[in-house]
């Protein structure tokens, strides 16, 4: 996730204070992982330095003075380019799952046991995500669906790899 671009997009919607940007980011994009305040303000400082946002005058409030940030034409152009660009598929054919299986086989360890443990972990996470879908708002449901589909793909890969484990063991031991 590109935090700077997400914040720019939120600012294109309307000028906002850092606190409001953090709240909106966490609501729409956090997926259970809140954005630290320090990261929000350091990102806003970099965006201002790069001319992508402008910080207004400090406004008095109930706490420390607050600045309202607004997107500039440079920032708006960057959001426009980013939104128009498709997300690239993973460019490399390597994953942590595959690396662990191959190393387990090379080292004479229990690759099948690792795959079983990984399957159990994925199934546990899928149950958690299914609970999120049952009680969640549309945003939470769509994020949970995305994660569930990725986990389902991993489970299919685990099944295929488990079925080919003997052949893979021979292949990695030959080298």
């Amino acid at each position: 996730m590109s935090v700077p671009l997400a914040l720019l997009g939120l600012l294109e919607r309307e000028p906002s204070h850092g606190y409001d940007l953090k709240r909106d980011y966490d609501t729409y994009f956090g997926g259970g992982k809140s954005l630290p305040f320090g990261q929000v303000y350091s990102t806003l400082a970099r965006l201002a330095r790069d001319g992508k946002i402008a910080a207004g005058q400090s406004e008095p409030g109930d706490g420390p003075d607050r600045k309202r940030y607004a997107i500039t034409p440079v920032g708006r152009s960057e959001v426009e380019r980013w939104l128009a660009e498709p997300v690239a598929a993973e460019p490399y054919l390597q994953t942590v799952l595959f690396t662990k299986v191959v190393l387990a086989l090379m080292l004479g360890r229990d690759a099948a046991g690792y795959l079983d443990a990984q399957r159990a972990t994925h199934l546990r996470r899928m149950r958690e995500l299914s609970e999120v879908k049952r009680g969640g708002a549309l945003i939470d449901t769509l994020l949970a669906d995305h994660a569930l589909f990725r986990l389902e793909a991993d489970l299919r890969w685990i099944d295929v790899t488990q079925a080919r484990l003997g052949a893979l063991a021979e292949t990695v031991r030959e080298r």
Side-chain angles (χ1 to χ4, degrees), residues 7 11-12 15 23 35 44 46 67-68 76 81 83 87 95 99-100 102 112 118 122 127 153 157 168:
L7 294 179
L11 284 170
E12 185 170 337
R23 182 198 61 225
L35 189 62
L44 290 172
R46 282 191 305 279
K67 291 182 183 176
R68 185 177 301 273
R76 190 170 277 109
R81 266 192 314 279
L83 291 175
V87 175
T95 69
T99 302
K100 285 185 168 189
V102 169
Q118 190 64 58
H122 276 27
R127 284 189 294 277
W157 181 86
L168 182 58

Side-chain angles (χ1 to χ4, degrees), residues 40-173:
V40 171
Y41 290 104
S42 64
T43 301
L44 290 172
R46 282 191 305 279
L47 291 170
R49 178 198 67 205
D50 296 341
K52 297 173 184 173
I53 64 170
Q57 297 296 320
S58 293
E59 301 171 0
D62 291 338
D65 288 350
R66 300 168 14 143
K67 291 182 183 176
R68 185 177 301 273
Y69 297 90
I71 194 166
T72 65
V74 171
R76 190 170 277 109
S77 293
E78 185 160 337
V79 170
E80 184 67 31
R81 266 192 314 279
W82 182 63
L83 291 175
E85 182 179 297
V87 175
E90 291 296 320
Y92 305 107
L93 295 176
Q94 55 182 219
T95 69
V96 174
L97 287 173
F98 181 75
T99 302
K100 285 185 168 189
V101 169
V102 169
L103 285 173
L105 292 170
M106 285 179 174
L107 301 173
R109 304 240 173 86
D110 184 12
Y114 164 69
L115 289 170
D116 288 340
Q118 190 64 58
R119 181 183 293 105
T121 298
H122 276 27
L123 290 171
R124 187 170 34 259
R125 181 63 180 142
M126 289 173 83
R127 284 189 294 277
E128 293 168 358
L129 291 167
S130 294
E131 284 300 315
V132 167
K133 285 180 59 167
R134 272 192 273 288
L138 179 60
I139 289 172
D140 296 331
T141 299
L142 289 171
L143 285 170
D145 279 339
H146 187 265
L148 282 164
F149 296 148
R150 293 177 77 98
L151 290 168
E152 286 172 0
D154 278 356
L155 287 174
R156 285 193 305 272
W157 181 86
I158 288 169
D159 290 341
V160 167
T161 302
Q162 191 110 38
R164 298 176 178 168
L165 215 45
L168 182 58
E170 289 178 27
T171 301
V172 299
R173 289 186 188 129

Side-chain angles (χ1 to χ4, degrees), residues 23-43:
R23 182 198 61 225
D24 289 348
Y25 181 95
D26 290 347
T27 298
Y28 295 111
F29 314 120
K33 183 180 177 195
S34 294
L35 189 62
F37 277 107
Q39 186 176 359
V40 171
Y41 290 104
S42 64
T43 301

